[in-house]
Amino acid sequence: MKHRRIPKRRAVLAGAGALALAATATLTLANANAAPAPTPLAKLSSTAASTLASQLKTGTAGAFYDAKAKKLVVNVVNEAAAETVRAKGAEARLVKHTLAQLASARQTLKSKATIPGTSWGIDPTSNKVVVTADRTVKGAKLDQLTKVTKSLGDKVELRHSKGEFKPFIAGGDAIWGSGARCSLGFNVVKDGQPYFLTAGHCGNAVQSWSDQQGGSEIAATENSSFPGDDYAIAKYTGDTAHPSEVDLYNGSTQKITKAAEATVGEKVQRSGSTTQVHDGEVTGLNETVNYQEGTVEGLIKTTVCAEPGDSGGALFDGESALGLTSGGSGDCSGGGETFFQPVTEALEAYGAQIG
């Protein structure tokens, strides 16, 4: 693989945008001098919404981006918090469950229902913890999962998937190792030296990387983490170009200038060496996935499809790098859901920067 292919498959992420809630005032005979309705706030980009969401975490119960209305919707459990949210330019929505209550439900699931083939995460759109069981969860395991979820009442919703949760090892540009093919995520800089990020389960499987099957080494895995997390870093050892770009597989690339946090509702793209570029939407954050190989926490959940070999590839939004392809269920013919390791966590762990 030419250097041009490797860097081009790095992913970018972009932030989320937000639109403020427009409140309406009613003029009545009892209040002939009622104040006029507040002027609706301007619609925000997805990047602005992500930035705003990070500023409104305290005292709220999650948030999501309404892409159609271009507004950030923030869950609150009291009017005081709602006023703060509105003052910042977002729409406040009163919900039943606090983040602490939902986090407690997640802890119960972790202690009583960590079953391979399951995943769970807080869904801000439903104000519940959504639990998914893949097709391998049946019999006594399904009975156990059903019992635990029912004990948590309306804080939890159990769903079923026809697919099977698994890491997509096989998966931007292809990178090859002995017996495995993955995808390069993003080119980064650490201690002034060029590196790239990929999935941890790829780094566990491969020490020496090439840009073509059976080719000479271009990089060597320096560190990897899986399960628990799913990220790895490899240092370039060959004379290979390493631009901060993602391959769009149409003769062009997407420049990546920064790393960002994903927002529920954000429209995103993924680039990988098996299925190339696909898009979708972020549907969950801080997701727990119980692969057969072990549990990974803190993942981004999306509707983007992926297949074996796409592992490690870039999830991005414009110039923003968001995540590294971990695993999921389904494929790009029938559809599915894919989980991504947040790139910000990997950069922090390794002391690296996009570049």
Side-chain angles (χ1 to χ4, degrees):
M1 173 174 76
K2 300 179 179 179
H3 160 62
R4 189 172 73 100
R5 296 172 52 199
I6 296 179
K8 293 181 178 178
R9 300 187 179 181
R10 298 199 165 70
V12 181
L13 101 77
L19 168 64
L21 172 69
T24 54
T26 302
L27 182 65
T28 67
L29 292 178
N31 185 12
N33 294 317
T39 301
L41 297 180
K43 296 181 178 181
L44 303 180
S45 66
S46 60
T47 300
S50 291
T51 301
L52 184 56
S54 67
Q55 298 172 357
L56 292 170
K57 290 183 178 179
T58 303
T60 65
F64 61 94
Y65 181 56
D66 184 336
K68 184 175 181 180
K70 296 189 186 228
K71 65 183 177 182
L72 182 70
V73 181
V74 181
N75 294 334
V76 296
V77 294
N78 57 60
E79 187 56 34
E83 290 179 3
T84 300
V85 167
R86 293 173 189 135
K88 288 285 188 177
E91 176 176 326
R93 186 179 71 150
L94 287 171
V95 295
K96 179 178 180 180
H97 306 299
T98 66
L99 275 185
Q101 291 171 327
L102 297 179
S104 177
R106 284 174 57 105
Q107 186 58 42
T108 298
L109 289 164
K110 182 177 181 178
S111 62
K112 298 182 177 181
T114 297
I115 299 168
T118 61
S119 71
W120 53 73
I122 296 173
D123 175 21
T125 62
S126 66
N127 189 226
K128 295 180 179 181
V129 176
V130 173
V131 180
T132 303
D134 73 12
R135 64 187 179 193
T136 68
V137 182
K138 46 193 173 184
K141 292 181 178 179
L142 181 57
D143 291 341
Q144 177 187 351
L145 181 64
T146 301
K147 180 180 179 180
V148 174
T149 55
K150 283 186 176 180
S151 73
L152 294 169
D154 64 356
K155 292 189 291 294
V156 171
E157 177 183 346
L158 177 59
R159 299 177 183 175
H160 299 272
S161 170
K162 294 181 180 179
E164 178 181 348
F165 295 139
K166 55 188 175 182
F168 287 133
I169 191 169
D173 290 340
I175 47 176
W176 298 82
S178 57
R181 173 173 62 83
C182 285
S183 294
L184 188 150
F186 300 95
N187 279 319
V188 298
V189 175
K190 175 186 174 186
D191 298 328
Q193 299 297 313
Y195 288 76
F196 67 74
L197 296 176
T198 189
H201 63 269
C202 294
N204 283 0
V206 176
Q207 176 59 37
S208 178
W209 294 102
S210 173
D211 58 5
Q212 57 185 311
Q213 189 170 19
S216 58
E217 180 182 280
I218 63 164
T221 299
E222 184 173 276
N223 197 295
S224 62
S225 180
F226 178 86
D229 302 301
D230 198 3
Y231 49 69
I233 189 168
K235 184 176 183 179
Y236 281 106
T237 57
D239 184 15
T240 303
H242 44 83
S244 187
E245 302 172 350
V246 174
D247 195 342
L248 298 180
Y249 289 91
N250 60 4
S252 64
T253 61
Q254 169 63 61
K255 184 178 181 181
I256 301 297
T257 61
K258 59 186 176 181
E261 300 287 347
T263 298
V264 172
E266 182 177 2
K267 302 298 183 182
V268 293
Q269 290 182 290
R270 174 199 55 75
S271 178
S273 61
T274 299
T275 59
Q276 302 184 2
V277 178
H278 286 270
D279 56 21
E281 180 179 315
V282 175
T283 56
L285 302 174
N286 196 26
E287 292 280 325
T288 295
V289 184
N290 297 301
Y291 296 123
Q292 300 295 329
E293 296 83 354
T295 298
V296 181
E297 298 181 309
L299 299 179
I300 301 167
K301 182 181 180 181
T302 74
T303 61
V304 186
C305 70
E307 296 180 9
D310 287 327
S311 278
L315 178 73
F316 58 100
D317 179 357
E319 294 188 1
S320 297
L322 297 176
L324 306 167
T325 306
S326 174
S329 65
D331 54 39
C332 289
S333 296
E337 58 187 1
T338 303
F339 299 93
F340 297 84
Q341 166 68 55
V343 73
T344 51
E345 183 182 357
L347 291 172
E348 181 178 1
Y350 295 132
Q353 301 82 39
I354 293 293

